[in-house]
Amino acid sequence: MWLNPEEVLLKNALKLWVTEKSNEFFLLQRRRGHGDTGGKFTGLLVGALDSVLDSNARVTPFRILLQMPGSQVSWTIACGAAVGEMNRHWDWLVQNLLHSLSVFENKEDVASFVKGKVKGLIAEEVRGRQAAQEEEPEKFREALLKFELCFGLPSSEKLVTTYSCCCWKGRVPRQGWLYLSINHMAFYSFLLGKEVKFVIPWAEVTRLERVSTGLMTDMVRVMTRRCQLDFSMFLSLDEAFGVIGQLADIALRRLLDSEGLELDRVLQQSSNITKRVLEEQALRTYVLALFRLPRGERLQEVALCSVWTPHARCHTTGTLFTTDSYLCFASREEGHCSLLIPLSEVISIEKAESTSLLPNPVIVSVRSKKAFQLIELQDRDSLVDGLTSRLRALQWKHSMFRSKKSLTSSSPYYTFCYDTMYCDGEDIEERALRQTVNTEALMACYHHSQPDPNNSTATMEQVKERLWEDHFPEYGRGVHMFRTEKIQKLVAMGIPESLRGELWMTFSDASSELASHPGYYSGLVTESMGQSSLATEEIERDLHRSLPDHPAFQNVKGIAALRRVLTAYAHRNPKIGYCQSMNILASVLLLYTKEEEAFSLLVAVCERMLPDYFNRRVIGAQVDQSVFEELIRDRLPELAEHIPDLSPLSSISLSWFLTLFLSVLPFRSAVCVVDCFFFHGIKAIFQLGLAVLDANATALCASADDSQALMILTGFLDQVKYDEDPSPPTPHPLSSQSGEEEGRPPVKQHTLITDLIADSYEKFGDLTVRQIEKLRCRHRIQVLQAHEDTTKENALRVVTPDVSLSPENLADVYDLFKTEHFINLYWGDGGTTLALQHHDPGRPYVEQYRVDRVQFKSLYMLLVPWLCGFHTDTVAHRTFTLLDQDRDSLITFREFAGWLDTLYFEELNEKVRLLYRLHIPPALTESEDDPSPLKSPQLSTTRPLHVELPNGEMRDFQEQLKQMLKDLAKEKEKDVEQPVPPMNQREFIQFCKTLYSMFHGNPDENELFQAIATVTSLVLQIGEVGHRSRCSGSEVSSEGGAGDEVEDDHREGSQEDHPVFSTEEEGERKEGTSKSSGSESQSEWAVSYAQILASLLTEQQLVNFFEKPMDLSAKVAEAKVKQYHERAGLLMLQQGTS
């Protein structure tokens, strides 16, 4: 294969390589020892060396070198393991390049020409490999070339797919091509001599919609913070809309919250993203949501097949999905029939004899002595082989886990001490309760109300139990039962309490996870014993707020069990830790399941069934609220018409989703909702929410304000009655209100929860998991961008009091700062620090986006008012070092905005102070590489110390500086800052060099150069005088006695009146009598900031230069245009020369 040219020394290379072919410019070499049959000692030695090396360090046996006649340096341009491949490369070089090279006279031109050709071949191979992954490689290759030529983005900006479409500008359509890449969407049109093109980062997309207008029936609308774009005339609009939504969603999750959101491992590397991968990812997301599988499961095979369904006495046609640990079957019509078989329950997978009635059958046997028959599998052999290999690996893994547990645990897993949080006076029985894991559900010990076996409630429970017992033999029992519409009806009636825990474990598949990891929960509890953290403090605060009216949580046993479950989960998943509403959910789980089972159910809910709900920003719940709003507009149009702003309704419904209605419905009614949730997932909550709003639509349309709408919904939910509950409606135990509130509108006397659930299935049961997942993908974009807007608003609010930038300019600078951060993530070379690779929303607002040195230099070039020519990079480097106060090699937006504020809006003395600090430590270091011949000269001058005024009068410089300092004192007083250290001669020369470079190209260049020359001479004289006085002072002080007093009196009467001379070295001189190193420090040449400032003020031309108003708005507007193209061009240049 072709390689980026690398230098090698022929003299050393010839010892290990044998030349097979050669000409004037190229060598084809074979590794010594490779292919030798003579058994020469050198060949054997080299062969042995290669064989023992690590695979990453082994050398390929063939290579081609580019050599220059008479030179000892060559370049490796190709290598390979097969002689046939290398011969093809050699023939290509001879036929296409060799004759052309003879016309070059310069060796360097020959090398550059060949290197460029080889890099072109490599780029062509990369395009070819990428194109080969597409359905139409040649067509994609052509599109890739056009994409690179039209938009000038770096080659690392990977193109995913293209679509022919129209982009509407007003009422004028522009036919062209839409290019979708991993970080951008771009459009190009050339029609009737007019070119239209634009590039939009996915990070700027805030909303995606399908809309209809008077001109077009169906369009894709892409909205950003600055514009709105409409696209139509797609050959397949559904496909294009889906890909656009996926790419925007993936990019925003990767850029804005890669830690908090679970992004598939394949998508973490953007180079892996292709159109085919996106299709697979969409299907995987759907399968995980449909069967509520763990988020880490990978989709392995998808096959059409038919499954024998005993209850229907026929084969049911559908699709088989296999993942790492599951076999999943779904009928053609979603919800009609489904089957979930964990591989941990499977004993064997066998191929049976194929017949005309049973083509390509496969038998799957499970531990419950049942078997499932699948037929009509097209690629049966490869499917069975893959399943068998994964089954063996899983069985080995579980056997190792069990053997490890048996070796490490010799006592029952449920006997241990939990913690020491109780006081010394606690009862012994109470201690025992806190130290023992419950092995039965709390409901077995504590009932809300003990039912009478003769009443209707007990009778109905018995009826439902018989229905389920009749159902199990026909449809199966356990996780691999057939899930059909009949079981949906049974669940809607309410699961009997005796079976509720078992069926929750079955529907969620927590049972197989628990069986595969025995003792896992007890280990977590043991590890988390006695640990204290923010999560444990929040848990302790909420323990007694969880179902406080239920007798199970009015005693130590129930509270201790709840504490153990929540603390163990916080220990298992510190990323989530503990979130409010988890306590309510865990309390209900403990009522109907054993403690260990309740923990497994909590894991299933938090990590699989409600993904991204329980994190710092509850992103998942907010996404579902946004989806719920769209469903209201689609399914309840009259309500949406009367209430255009649905955000108050979504705020009310947030608790419905977070607590599964447990916090708003009476307890027994809410548990029926949880039954439906474990069977149907979040789909059941969406349906029930729509049914609640539909039942109250008339009252809500007539409501005057949000508070009245809240009362309407609260009153309705309070009176929703459990099917068999004969008691009148009572307030929810979690509600602080009781009885009828004054002013609450009248509500229906009772609504049966079973009727409400049945109504939700009847009216909204056609809502599918596929629809929900598509809506989630689109609405996640809106939610993440809303969080970004909040972050920006708060960052600007924090920074605004400290700077003088206008709100518009500050907002634009923030956008430039964030864009620079993103550009590095788009096209960085992989050397980005870990802190920049992951956006952490948990950091303070002004620190969520930071830039490193390279990114800062790019912004510096765009925004600094005074460029310094070839010296600009050096000054930018020093500026970053100065701003990086915490020395983490990153600067925040607050620091960046403060720097810009100083340059554009501060007074002259602050601008000079900034320049001064750039030329003393820590900004200027001793090790800084400076090619200037004036790096650290020792200069001296004996010029007369006077200043020539404009009128020709000569004045002593001390009087002039004294007058200038008095003028400074009259200016507006500011906060007293820390005094800056003095500047030595080397630092002062660097300071002057920066000033000279700043003035280069200025219209008043000559006058400024003359002015700075005058100031430089003056400051050198001041420094020389100070240097001499300190040296002479040191000699006098060594004599001691009265001489010191005389000298001090003299200085009190002269120099203290002139702050120019009152440098910090003066203090050091006075302390020199008690320090042995005092005389050495006093002899150094130094000037202070005040001396340099006063000297600059003597030249009006310099004062005018620094006080000239500068337009930041124009600079920012120019930077917006340049930022993308300049960074892209620079990166392309770096990639081309690497």
Side-chain angles (χ1 to χ4, degrees):
M1 63 179 176
W2 299 106
L3 299 175
N4 276 320
E6 296 181 0
E7 278 193 12
V8 295
L9 290 176
L10 266 181
K11 188 177 295 183
N12 294 331
L14 288 174
K15 297 179 181 179
L16 300 176
W17 295 86
V18 178
T19 300
E20 297 284 323
K21 296 180 182 180
S22 66
N23 55 43
E24 187 180 1
F25 294 101
F26 301 107
L27 293 174
L28 173 58
Q29 295 183 331
R30 171 178 54 82
R31 185 75 165 174
R32 191 180 296 276
H34 180 79
D36 286 344
T37 57
K40 294 182 180 179
F41 175 75
T42 307
L44 292 174
L45 181 62
V46 176
L49 177 65
D50 289 342
S51 65
V52 299
L53 286 175
D54 182 89
S55 60
N56 294 324
R58 289 177 187 166
V59 181
T60 54
F62 295 98
R63 70 179 184 180
I64 296 178
L65 300 179
L66 166 65
Q67 64 173 356
M68 295 294 104
S71 174
Q72 292 296 315
V73 179
S74 296
W75 292 268
T76 305
I77 59 174
C79 69
V83 66
E85 179 189 14
M86 300 309 295
N87 283 331
R88 287 193 297 273
H89 288 347
W90 178 266
D91 293 341
W92 188 92
L93 291 171
V94 171
Q95 294 171 10
N96 295 279
L97 291 187
L98 189 59
H99 299 294
S100 303
L101 299 181
S102 59
V103 301
F104 290 96
E105 297 180 358
N106 193 333
K107 296 178 181 178
E108 294 181 357
D109 293 340
V110 173
S112 299
F113 178 75
V114 175
K115 290 177 183 177
K117 284 291 185 182
V118 170
K119 289 180 180 179
L121 291 171
I122 294 172
E124 188 67 21
E125 284 187 351
V126 171
R127 293 192 191 99
R129 285 195 297 271
Q130 186 175 347
Q133 299 175 357
E134 305 298 326
E135 295 178 357
E136 301 180 28
E138 290 303 321
K139 188 176 179 180
F140 185 83
R141 186 195 299 268
E142 181 181 351
L144 183 58
L145 286 172
K146 288 183 179 179
F147 176 69
E148 294 176 353
L149 290 173
C150 291
F151 303 103
L153 299 178
S155 58
S156 56
E157 181 63 23
K158 183 176 179 180
L159 180 65
V160 176
T161 190
T162 61
Y163 292 100
S164 173
C165 65
C166 279
C167 178
W168 290 78
K169 188 175 182 181
R171 296 194 174 189
V172 180
R174 303 290 302 185
Q175 180 66 36
W177 287 89
L178 183 64
Y179 297 85
L180 305 180
S181 68
I182 54 178
N183 298 306
H184 303 82
M185 64 179 300
F187 180 79
Y188 181 83
S189 172
F190 186 82
L191 193 63
L192 300 177
K194 186 173 182 180
E195 183 182 62
V196 175
K197 65 178 180 179
F198 54 80
V199 178
I200 297 177
W202 295 122
E204 291 296 317
V205 174
T206 58
R207 193 182 188 93
L208 294 174
E209 294 179 341
R210 288 182 66 168
V211 297
S212 297
T213 65
L215 296 174
M216 297 300 301
T217 57
D218 215 355
M219 303 174 67
V220 174
R221 175 165 292 171
V222 179
M223 302 176 68
T224 71
R225 292 182 176 87
R226 299 177 183 176
C227 65
Q228 173 181 301
L229 299 166
D230 291 333
F231 300 93
S232 65
M233 305 286 288
F234 291 95
L235 291 177
S236 176
L237 189 137
D238 290 337
E239 177 191 306
F241 187 64
V243 171
I244 292 172
Q246 275 187 281
L247 286 171
D249 177 47
I250 291 168
L252 288 175
R253 294 170 79 186
R254 189 177 72 248
L255 295 172
L256 303 184
D257 200 2
S258 57
E259 290 291 339
L261 294 173
E262 298 296 337
L263 198 60
D264 184 71
R265 285 171 290 181
V266 176
L267 303 180
Q268 292 286 1
Q269 294 294 328
S270 56
S271 59
N272 296 332
I273 299 176
T274 63
K275 185 179 176 182
R276 186 178 303 171
V277 167
L278 290 178
E279 293 171 354
E280 294 173 354
Q281 177 65 16
L283 181 59
R284 173 184 174 273
T285 302
Y286 167 67
V287 172
L288 295 185
L290 181 62
F291 296 96
R292 275 98 58 198
L293 302 181
R295 313 309 292 177
E297 286 292 307
R298 295 172 300 174
L299 190 61
Q300 298 291 346
E301 295 99 5
V302 180
L304 297 176
C305 70
S306 296
V307 172
W308 175 255
T309 48
H311 57 275
R313 304 294 189 271
C314 66
H315 284 90
T316 300
T317 304
T319 306
L320 177 69
F321 306 98
T322 66
T323 68
D324 296 336
S325 307
Y326 292 89
L327 280 82
C328 312
F329 173 82
S331 59
R332 287 179 178 175
E333 182 182 351
E334 185 179 298
H336 175 68
C337 178
S338 63
L339 178 66
L340 179 66
I341 307 176
L343 283 180
S344 57
E345 295 290 318
V346 175
I347 297 176
S348 65
I349 302 173
E350 300 172 332
K351 292 180 286 187
E353 184 178 355
S354 181
T355 66
S356 58
L357 294 177
L358 301 175
N360 298 328
V362 172
I363 307 300
V364 180
S365 303
V366 296
R367 299 183 188 280
S368 59
K369 298 182 180 180
K370 287 190 175 183
F372 298 90
Q373 183 189 71
L374 292 79
I375 63 171
E376 299 176 342
L377 288 161
Q378 295 297 325
D379 196 2
R380 181 180 65 166
D381 293 342
S382 61
L383 177 67
V384 172
D385 291 343
L387 285 171
T388 302
S389 63
R390 292 197 295 277
L391 176 61
R392 290 173 181 169
L394 194 65
Q395 290 172 343
W396 177 83
K397 179 181 177 181
H398 289 168
S399 65
M400 293 296 293
F401 182 85
R402 291 190 181 94
S403 63
K404 181 179 178 181
K405 295 301 292 185
S406 63
L407 290 173
T408 57
S409 178
S410 57
S411 58
Y413 76 90
Y414 50 82
T415 305
F416 54 86
C417 175
Y418 170 68
D419 58 19
T420 58
M421 297 176 68
Y422 48 80
C423 62
D424 294 339
E426 271 192 303
D427 186 85
I428 296 178
E429 181 181 357
E430 191 171 328
R431 291 189 185 186
L433 290 174
R434 295 179 64 114
Q435 296 171 0
T436 305
V437 171
N438 295 337
T439 56
E440 61 180 355
L442 293 179
M443 191 62 82
C445 305
Y446 307 97
H447 287 277
H448 220 305
S449 58
Q450 296 291 339
D452 182 359
N454 298 320
N455 67 15
S456 60
T457 300
T459 304
M460 193 61 186
E461 280 287 303
Q462 294 171 1
V463 170
K464 289 194 291 186
E465 286 176 3
R466 283 198 301 270
L467 289 173
W468 278 97
E469 293 300 333
D470 294 339
H471 179 84
F472 287 141
E474 192 173 4
Y475 290 83
R477 187 167 190 167
V479 68
H480 38 66
M481 68 165 60
F482 285 98
R483 308 180 190 201
T484 64
E485 294 175 347
K486 181 180 178 181
I487 199 173
Q488 171 186 307
K489 295 176 181 177
L490 291 176
V491 171
M493 292 171 58
I495 299 175
E497 291 192 354
S498 60
L499 296 173
R500 181 164 276 143
E502 176 192 343
L503 290 174
W504 285 0
M505 294 289 290
T506 295
F507 294 151
S508 65
D509 188 40
S511 55
S512 60
E513 285 290 314
L514 181 61
S516 301
H517 302 89
Y520 175 66
Y521 172 67
S522 64
L524 284 177
V525 175
T526 305
E527 292 172 10
S528 61
M529 268 196 310
Q531 293 188 6
S532 179
S533 64
L534 179 61
T536 57
E537 293 174 4
E538 293 175 344
I539 289 169
E540 288 298 323
R541 186 176 63 243
D542 288 348
L543 283 176
H544 295 280
R545 304 176 185 174
S546 310
L547 303 183
D549 289 347
H550 199 287
F553 298 99
Q554 294 173 349
N555 62 85
V556 176
K557 182 176 181 179
I559 293 296
L562 181 59
R563 178 188 292 113
R564 285 193 294 270
V565 169
L566 293 175
T567 306
Y569 185 78
H571 186 72
R572 164 194 162 86
N573 192 343
K575 185 186 295 185
I576 292 178
Y578 170 76
C579 295
Q580 286 188 347
S581 77
M582 288 174 63
N583 59 319
I584 299 173
L585 181 59
S587 301
V588 175
L589 299 178
L590 282 167
L591 288 175
Y592 295 100
T593 60
K594 301 175 184 178
E595 188 174 320
E596 191 174 26
E597 294 173 342
F599 173 79
S600 298
L601 284 171
L602 184 64
V603 170
V605 171
C606 294
E607 298 177 12
R608 292 194 274 127
M609 304 184 73
L610 296 177
D612 306 323
Y613 263 58
F614 302 97
N615 55 25
R616 289 172 296 190
R617 303 187 294 173
V618 291
I619 292 291
Q622 293 185 49
V623 170
D624 281 351
Q625 291 312 295
S626 185
V627 171
F628 191 53
E629 287 186 30
E630 179 161 339
L631 290 175
I632 294 172
R633 294 188 183 94
D634 184 41
R635 302 301 182 100
L636 302 173
E638 293 183 2
L639 178 62
E641 184 179 350
H642 282 83
I643 309 177
D645 183 12
L646 295 174
S647 54
L649 286 183
S650 64
S651 299
I652 296 171
S653 63
L654 179 62
S655 62
W656 303 355
F657 287 77
L658 281 173
T659 65
L660 308 179
F661 282 91
L662 287 167
S663 62
V664 293
L665 282 173
F667 175 75
R668 301 190 70 186
S669 300
V671 174
C672 291
V673 177
V674 179
D675 294 339
C676 297
F677 169 75
F678 276 115
F679 181 71
H680 261 141
I682 196 63
K683 174 178 179 287
I685 307 300
F686 279 115
Q687 290 177 181
L688 189 63
L690 291 171
V692 169
L693 295 180
D694 183 52
N696 295 274
T698 304
L700 290 172
C701 290
S703 61
D705 50 31
D706 298 342
S707 59
Q708 188 175 358
L710 175 61
M711 287 192 297
I712 291 170
L713 293 175
T714 303
F716 175 81
L717 293 171
D718 279 349
Q719 56 81 44
V720 174
K721 178 185 174 184
Y722 183 56
D723 214 8
E724 310 90 16
D725 193 354
S727 60
T730 57
H732 191 275
L734 295 175
S735 175
S736 59
Q737 301 176 355
S738 61
E740 294 270 339
E741 288 188 8
E742 185 177 352
R744 176 178 292 178
V747 296
K748 183 180 177 181
Q749 185 64 26
H750 290 300
T751 299
L752 298 180
I753 185 61
T754 51
D755 292 343
L756 188 61
I757 292 174
D759 192 47
S760 72
Y761 277 106
E762 180 182 349
K763 293 183 177 180
F764 309 107
D766 58 336
L767 181 65
T768 64
V769 173
R770 192 182 297 273
Q771 292 172 350
I772 293 173
E773 289 305 310
K774 288 182 178 180
L775 290 172
R776 278 176 165 177
C777 180
R778 285 199 293 111
H779 286 272
R780 192 180 294 111
I781 297 170
Q782 300 176 31
V783 171
L784 289 176
Q785 291 289 25
H787 278 274
E788 278 302 290
D789 291 340
T790 302
T791 298
K792 179 179 178 179
E793 291 170 4
N794 284 284
L796 298 182
R797 177 180 53 79
V798 171
V799 173
T800 296
D802 302 332
V803 298
S804 302
L805 278 72
S806 67
E808 296 78 12
N809 281 340
L810 189 61
D812 289 339
V813 169
Y814 180 90
D815 291 337
L816 288 170
F817 191 83
K818 186 173 80 168
T819 300
E820 191 64 36
H821 172 88
F822 284 161
I823 287 176
N824 197 68
L825 295 180
Y826 296 158
W827 308 317
D829 57 0
T832 307
T833 59
L834 185 62
L836 294 182
Q837 291 175 3
H838 300 287
H839 174 235
D840 183 6
R843 296 184 65 87
Y845 292 115
V846 293
E847 298 180 11
Q848 288 193 18
Y849 293 107
R850 295 171 289 172
V851 296
D852 60 16
R853 193 178 300 272
V854 175
Q855 297 167 329
F856 173 78
K857 286 182 179 180
S858 176
L859 290 170
Y860 183 94
M861 297 291 290
L862 291 170
L863 295 175
V864 72
W866 310 303
L867 291 175
C868 301
F870 293 110
H871 197 53
T872 301
D873 189 72
T874 301
V875 178
H877 175 84
R878 294 174 187 166
T879 305
F880 181 87
T881 304
L882 180 65
L883 296 179
D884 182 22
Q885 298 180 2
D886 53 3
R887 298 295 175 263
D888 61 352
S889 298
L890 298 169
I891 64 171
T892 65
F893 176 67
R894 183 201 292 270
E895 295 163 341
F896 184 80
W899 168 72
L900 270 185
D901 182 62
T902 301
L903 291 181
Y904 280 90
F905 299 103
E906 285 289 359
E907 297 178 358
L908 178 147
N909 58 326
E910 291 301 320
K911 296 177 182 178
V912 175
R913 179 187 292 272
L914 175 62
L915 285 172
Y916 182 93
R917 294 178 65 196
L918 291 178
H919 297 84
I920 59 175
L924 180 68
T925 60
E926 290 292 336
S927 60
E928 183 176 304
D929 184 18
D930 187 0
S932 171
L934 300 176
K935 187 170 184 179
S936 56
Q938 293 295 320
L939 299 182
S940 176
T941 179
T942 57
R943 294 181 185 180
L945 302 181
H946 64 267
V947 176
E948 183 176 355
L949 300 180
N951 58 7
E953 179 185 353
M954 306 295 291
R955 179 183 295 183
D956 183 78
F957 85 98
Q958 295 185 12
E959 296 181 9
Q960 176 70 10
L961 296 182
K962 182 178 179 180
Q963 181 62 40
M964 299 302 299
L965 291 172
K966 286 182 179 179
D967 294 341
L968 281 175
K970 295 177 182 179
E971 296 182 2
K972 182 177 63 176
E973 294 185 358
K974 294 192 173 184
D975 295 336
V976 179
E977 297 187 19
Q978 293 292 331
V980 290
M983 181 182 284
N984 63 32
Q985 196 172 79
R986 168 184 174 266
E987 295 162 355
F988 176 67
I989 295 301
Q990 292 296 320
F991 177 80
C992 294
K993 180 180 177 181
T994 299
L995 289 179
Y996 273 102
S997 61
M998 285 169 55
F999 303 149
H1000 184 70
N1002 191 284
D1004 301 323
E1005 181 178 349
N1006 293 333
E1007 292 81 0
L1008 289 169
F1009 282 165
Q1010 184 176 358
I1012 194 59
T1014 303
V1015 170
T1016 302
S1017 176
L1018 182 59
V1019 174
L1020 287 172
Q1021 294 176 49
I1022 295 172
E1024 188 68 23
V1025 169
H1027 174 66
R1028 293 175 182 173
S1029 64
R1030 283 190 293 274
C1031 290
S1032 61
S1034 177
E1035 294 175 1
V1036 172
S1037 63
S1038 64
E1039 298 177 2
D1044 291 338
E1045 298 177 5
V1046 175
E1047 181 71 19
D1048 292 341
D1049 292 341
H1050 172 71
R1051 291 187 181 277
E1052 288 175 7
S1054 59
Q1055 293 188 12
E1056 286 185 1
D1057 292 336
H1058 301 281
V1060 176
F1061 292 99
S1062 302
T1063 63
E1064 294 184 14
E1065 284 77 8
E1066 184 67 26
E1068 294 178 3
R1069 188 198 64 78
K1070 291 180 180 180
E1071 296 176 2
T1073 56
S1074 62
K1075 297 182 180 178
S1076 60
S1077 62
S1079 60
E1080 182 180 350
S1081 64
Q1082 293 162 8
S1083 63
E1084 293 181 357
W1085 189 99
V1087 291
S1088 69
Y1089 159 70
Q1091 291 170 330
I1092 290 179
L1093 176 62
S1095 301
L1096 288 172
L1097 292 174
T1098 62
E1099 293 293 332
Q1100 189 62 41
Q1101 197 71 33
L1102 296 177
V1103 173
N1104 293 341
F1105 177 83
F1106 285 108
E1107 289 187 342
K1108 179 181 178 181
M1110 290 170 289
D1111 188 0
L1112 179 60
S1113 300
K1115 201 73 174 176
V1116 168
E1118 184 182 2
K1120 288 180 182 178
V1121 177
K1122 287 183 176 181
Q1123 185 178 30
Y1124 242 66
H1125 296 293
E1126 288 194 358
R1127 281 302 302 274
L1130 178 62
L1131 286 164
M1132 290 177 70
L1133 181 64
Q1134 292 173 348
Q1135 292 169 3
T1137 57
S1138 61

